[in-house]
Structure formats: C-alpha cells, structure tokens
Amino acid sequence: MSGWESVREFTLGNVERPATRTRNRIEWGPNAIRVASGAKDDRVLTPCAYVGTDRSLYLDADLTQLLCRVHGTSEHTWSVLDADGTELGTITRIPSARPLLRPNWTITQPGHPELLGRTEWLSGPPTRLAAKAASRLLVGVLDGLTGIGDEGGDQPTKTRTLEWRAGNEVAMYSEGTSLVTIQADWLDRRLPFAYCLIAT
C-alpha cells in the first residue's frame, strides 16, 4: 500500500487482521504503520510504512526504500530526516516539572506553527472540558453495561490521549500509538509516524 501522504488515521503495530466476532484469531505481520480498512468484522490493518532498525521507516517490506528516519539530537529532542537526509522537522519531549504529571510533546515542521501535544483534559476552554467529561462518562457507562471492549472482546488498556494544537487549531489526536488521527492537511505524515516510533 502506498499513499502515506494522505493518511488520516493509523496505528503502529504488527497485527494484520485483528480478532473479531467472525474471526476468532489474530493474524500477525511485520511491525508497521498501518491503516484500517474493511467492515468491523472483516477489518484489515494494511501497512503503509514498515519499521526498520534504529527508528527508521521504509515503503517496502524488504526495507530497501527509506521513507524517513529519526536521529536523536539531545536527551529529549529528535530530528526527523527524509531519505536524502533533509530535516523534515523535530519532535521534543517536554518533561513535567511535577512528578505525577506525564510529559508534553512538541512537533515542529518548517513553515508551520509548532504543534503542542497535551493531555486532552488540559486543552481548551472550560465549557469544552465539561463537554469532554460528560462524553467520557457516558462512554464509560455504556461500555460497562454492554461489555464492549476491543474487537477481540477484551477490555482495552487505557492509553494516554493527546490533543495536538497549532495555536487554536487541533491538528492531530493520538491515543498512545494505538490510534493517531490527523486533522490538518498540511501536517507531513512522516512526523506523526516518527512520533509513534519515539513514544513506544
């Protein structure tokens, strides 16, 4: 599969076909950036970039066509380079000053505002936060009543959701590395791909 440039939702992993109500076993494949397709009971997670060594991504399963690679420039900052070695942007982990709070992240892409990834509960005006809380409460109640979890039937492990903002624009959401949703057309997909390699 190609077309990585316009990917909207993706995950990082080696599950090719998840278990569903009609398919009771998981089919595995190489570790890759994957895009979901098909109906819920016939879901396929197709690779669009394959994970190589040393935080690199390739367009082919044989790992011969380099898409991008990550290079550490300091303890908390990484540079994302294309196949020619040109910098596409940087990713920085910002440690919290308070021990119980998890770090924030930033992504920079030349010619665009910096993206700040923060826990969604810390983003937005108070009315929006109240709406999020009500929505999460409802989802939690419904999940408890119906027992809905992963497509395989198990309850999912809670992952940290980040809201990535460029000023007032929400450019991306990430739920750990299990689901990344891109909102901004201008965001170079190789940067969120690389974030998943770093954040795992």
Side-chain angles (χ1 to χ4, degrees):
M1 175 183 180
S2 57
W4 60 266
E5 302 95 334
S6 57
V7 165
R8 286 287 178 185
E9 286 191 347
F10 68 88
T11 186
L12 172 64
N14 56 6
V15 175
E16 192 94 33
R17 293 175 181 268
T20 66
R21 290 179 298 181
T22 60
R23 184 172 59 217
N24 63 5
R25 66 185 181 88
I26 296 173
E27 294 182 20
W28 304 93
N31 198 23
I33 300 292
R34 295 176 175 273
V35 178
S37 62
K40 184 175 181 180
D41 289 334
D42 195 28
R43 186 68 46 87
V44 177
L45 300 173
T46 306
C48 71
Y50 296 85
V51 177
T53 58
D54 299 325
R55 293 179 173 154
S56 57
L57 288 171
Y58 291 81
L59 293 173
D60 62 315
D62 294 329
L63 307 182
T64 62
Q65 301 174 54
L66 182 65
L67 175 63
C68 65
R69 63 185 176 88
V70 176
H71 172 69
T73 57
S74 70
E75 184 180 358
H76 300 293
T77 300
W78 296 265
S79 179
V80 182
L81 310 173
D82 70 8
D84 297 323
T86 302
E87 187 175 87
L88 303 168
T90 60
I91 300 171
T92 302
R93 179 180 179 271
I94 307 170
S96 172
R98 291 187 278 180
L100 296 180
L101 290 181
R102 296 186 192 177
N104 294 324
W105 294 82
T106 62
I107 292 177
T108 62
Q109 178 179 335
H112 296 281
E114 180 181 75
L115 288 183
L116 175 61
R118 301 179 66 198
T119 301
E120 61 176 344
W121 297 107
L122 301 178
S123 303
T127 53
R128 189 151 179 263
L129 297 182
K132 286 180 185 177
S135 173
R136 280 297 169 93
L137 179 61
L138 178 60
V139 169
V141 169
L142 289 176
D143 282 355
L145 292 174
T146 61
I148 296 172
D150 278 346
E151 290 175 347
D154 295 330
Q155 287 298 319
T157 302
K158 178 62 179 170
T159 56
R160 184 184 185 203
T161 300
L162 295 180
E163 189 174 74
W164 296 79
R165 288 179 166 267
N168 292 325
E169 176 189 8
V170 178
M172 183 173 86
Y173 293 98
S174 61
E175 298 175 27
T177 60
S178 61
L179 181 64
V180 176
T181 304
I182 297 171
Q183 307 274 88
D185 292 334
W186 53 262
L187 180 58
D188 187 320
R189 282 17 178 201
R190 290 169 290 187
L191 295 171
F193 291 173
Y195 163 74
C196 287
L197 296 179
I198 295 166
T200 53

